[in-house]
Amino acid sequence: MRSYPKRGLAAAAGLFALILFQGSASAQIQRDSLAQTPPMGWNSWNKFACNVSEDLIKSVADAIAGNGMKDAGYQYVVIDDCWQVTRDENGNIVADPKAFPSGIKALADYVHSKGLKFGLYSDAGSKTCAGRPGSQGHEYQDAMQYARWGVDYLKYDWCNTEKRNAEEAYSTMSKALLSTGRPIVFSMCEWGTAKPWLWAKGTGNLWRTTGDISDHWAGMVKWPDGNCCAMGMLDIVDLQVGLESFAGPGHWNDPDMLEVGNGGMTAQEYRAHFSLWALLAAPLMAGNDVRSMTPEIKEVLTNAEVIAVNQDKLGRQGHRVRKSGDLEVWSRTLADGSRAVILLNRGANESEISVAWEEIGYTANLPAKVRDLWAHKDVGTFKGSYTAKLPAHAVVMVKVTP
Ligand code: GLA
């Protein structure tokens, strides 16, 4: 009899432990719960490559917080390659003390003080693409360090991985990040080599589908070292065809960061680039010098109607509906049942392009309102189809609402 209270106590303690365990198990962050819409932010690589420093990052954060980009939805300020120089005697990753004299924690605090989030870059191999220390063999140690610093986003590259298995490597880092208890968006940069769209849902929040973008309209251009090839913006777009079914809230195809404003394309071509990324539910990571862009470029990056398509809650990636030579039609189904439609003229001549309602899932005689998302104008109610005349290298982007 005397043992009953003791047993009761033991049972109560057991129950308490079970509740605690279940509590912590359910508190574990699920990978797919992050990035419910495609991440928006800025990354240093396309414009600054290895010239990164705390001064640069602070001034970029100031600009994004003050120039309308933050209000438009840009959130993550991400330092790409070259912030790290070595490991200390305990294996901890060390930031470049000359470029980041105040340390990464202070910089993350600064970015957070602007109401923005902070991201870093590492690599699944022994070294990053620029030859800095990678995370291979240090995944949990690095993840803990990122969490202590206040990192909200990790881009994880694929250089110097030798024969490493991509699924194993990315899953190890994904789990390491989750084990910290800090919500850290995981951006996989494996270039599509191992077809991550087939296995990376639940591992990454976004995965690169191709090699690096370069700042030109179309065509493969040899690298300075003679190797093949830098891809134009439209070459990247062509490689997205067929991947649309793999994207959704928490797991996005990533056709690489934006080149908008970097000088290699016209403003009209950049509007096409931005429109296509929005329709593809691609992450919108600006890659230009946002401290000194022209009003025209700022207008592209902060077009609220195009961003609303990108951030649509349904999270369904758009797809190419038709290609007739240089003339294409793309469509994306939105949460309210309407369609975002892009008419794309890839060619060098002015051309007319039509979209038929039946191609985008409506009946032919349904009257539908058409709104031009760049002109910010309702253009009318149309039955059966809509036709527009496009200059060379341009898009018309409309929302079609029955
Ligand atoms: C690779 C990536 C790029 C960039 C560089 C940095 O090429 O694909 O996006 O991160 O490495 O060295």
Side-chain angles (χ1 to χ4, degrees):
M1 290 295 281
R2 269 206 207 136
S3 63
Y4 278 147
K6 268 196 191 156
R7 265 202 230 155
L9 261 182
L15 189 65
F16 186 56
L18 187 70
I19 290 169
L20 265 186
F21 172 75
Q22 286 193 333
S24 68
S26 65
Q28 164 96 53
I29 299 155
Q30 301 297 310
R31 172 59 59 209
D32 234 26
S33 71
L34 306 179
Q36 286 294 292
T37 59
M40 293 178 65
W42 177 90
N43 173 297
S44 52
W45 184 255
N46 282 354
K47 173 71 184 174
F48 297 96
C50 269
N51 299 316
V52 288
S53 67
E54 64 183 43
D55 290 344
L56 170 72
I57 300 303
K58 282 175 154 177
S59 58
V60 163
D62 291 345
I64 291 173
N67 68 6
M69 286 182 73
K70 179 181 155 191
D71 297 337
Y74 293 86
Q75 221 183 353
Y76 296 96
V77 177
V78 181
I79 316 178
D80 207 280
D81 210 345
C82 302
W83 62 269
Q84 63 284 70
V85 280
T86 185
R87 291 191 180 272
D88 70 14
E89 66 279 11
N90 297 316
N92 295 312
I93 192 74
V94 175
D96 181 344
K98 284 200 206 84
F100 299 93
S102 316
I104 300 296
K105 171 82 169 75
L107 186 53
D109 289 348
Y110 185 86
V111 171
H112 291 149
S113 77
K114 297 281 157 182
L116 298 168
K117 293 187 170 174
F118 178 72
L120 279 183
Y121 161 102
S122 189
D123 187 288
S126 52
K127 287 187 170 149
T128 70
C129 296
R132 307 304 176 92
S135 289
Q136 184 164 12
H138 293 272
E139 290 89 348
Y140 280 78
Q141 185 175 21
D142 284 354
M144 293 291 285
Q145 182 68 286
Y146 303 151
R148 283 193 291 270
W149 281 339
V151 168
D152 307 297
Y153 183 110
L154 179 70
K155 173 176 169 183
Y156 204 50
D157 215 338
W158 190 240
C159 279
N160 305 302
T161 46
E162 318 259 315
K163 292 200 162 21
R164 214 173 165 188
N165 173 282
E167 197 168 343
E168 170 275 315
Y170 281 95
S171 143
T172 300
M173 188 45 117
S174 179
K175 286 182 189 145
L177 294 172
L178 292 174
S179 77
T180 67
R182 187 174 173 87
I184 301 175
V185 168
F186 190 35
S187 158
M188 298 174 37
C189 180
E190 183 271 352
W191 319 313
T193 320
K195 300 188 169 59
W197 47 88
L198 296 180
W199 49 264
K201 176 177 187 290
T203 299
N205 297 111
L206 52 153
W207 49 77
R208 282 275 297 278
T209 53
T210 69
D212 291 3
I213 191 170
S214 90
D215 187 16
H216 65 276
W217 176 250
M220 308 293 265
V221 176
K222 283 206 168 148
W223 294 107
D225 63 8
N227 279 332
C228 185
C229 279
M231 274 180 290
M233 185 271 291
L234 287 179
D235 304 295
I236 299 244
V237 167
D238 287 337
L239 293 171
Q240 309 313 306
V241 174
L243 301 187
E244 51 273 1
S245 64
F246 300 105
H251 52 279
W252 307 102
N253 290 308
D254 176 7
D256 206 358
M257 303 170 293
L258 297 166
E259 291 283 12
V260 174
N262 278 335
M265 293 185 239
T266 65
Q268 188 153 272
E269 291 172 337
Y270 283 137
R271 278 193 280 277
H273 175 16
F274 196 71
S275 302
L276 287 160
W277 261 236
L279 185 131
L280 288 167
L284 296 180
M285 301 299 285
N288 60 322
D289 191 345
V290 295
R291 303 167 305 175
S292 59
M293 58 189 161
T294 62
E296 194 176 30
I297 291 299
K298 192 170 86 180
E299 232 178 272
V300 175
L301 286 173
T302 59
N303 182 329
E305 296 194 68
V306 174
I307 290 173
V309 170
N310 177 259
Q311 296 288 303
D312 182 74
K313 291 284 178 281
L314 186 61
R316 191 174 295 177
Q317 180 174 328
H319 67 288
R320 184 152 73 192
V321 168
R322 176 162 41 93
K323 176 170 178 62
S324 330
D326 281 334
L327 310 182
E328 297 182 5
V329 176
W330 291 72
S331 169
R332 174 172 176 180
T333 299
L334 302 175
D336 64 359
S338 66
R339 306 286 191 259
V341 173
I342 291 178
L343 309 176
L344 166 65
N345 179 7
R346 305 167 69 122
N349 304 312
E350 185 183 75
S351 296
E352 260 191 8
I353 310 182
S354 295
V355 52
W357 282 187
E358 284 184 317
E359 295 179 298
I360 56 173
Y362 297 142
T363 50
N365 53 10
L366 190 70
K369 276 195 316 200
V370 174
R371 180 169 176 81
D372 187 317
L373 305 186
W374 286 105
H376 303 296
K377 227 174 47 195
D378 293 326
V379 284
T381 297
F382 295 80
K383 245 192 197 177
S385 68
Y386 177 69
T387 303
K389 188 177 272 179
L390 281 84
H393 291 194
V395 294
V396 161
M397 187 172 188
V398 293
K399 187 170 169 177
V400 180
T401 313

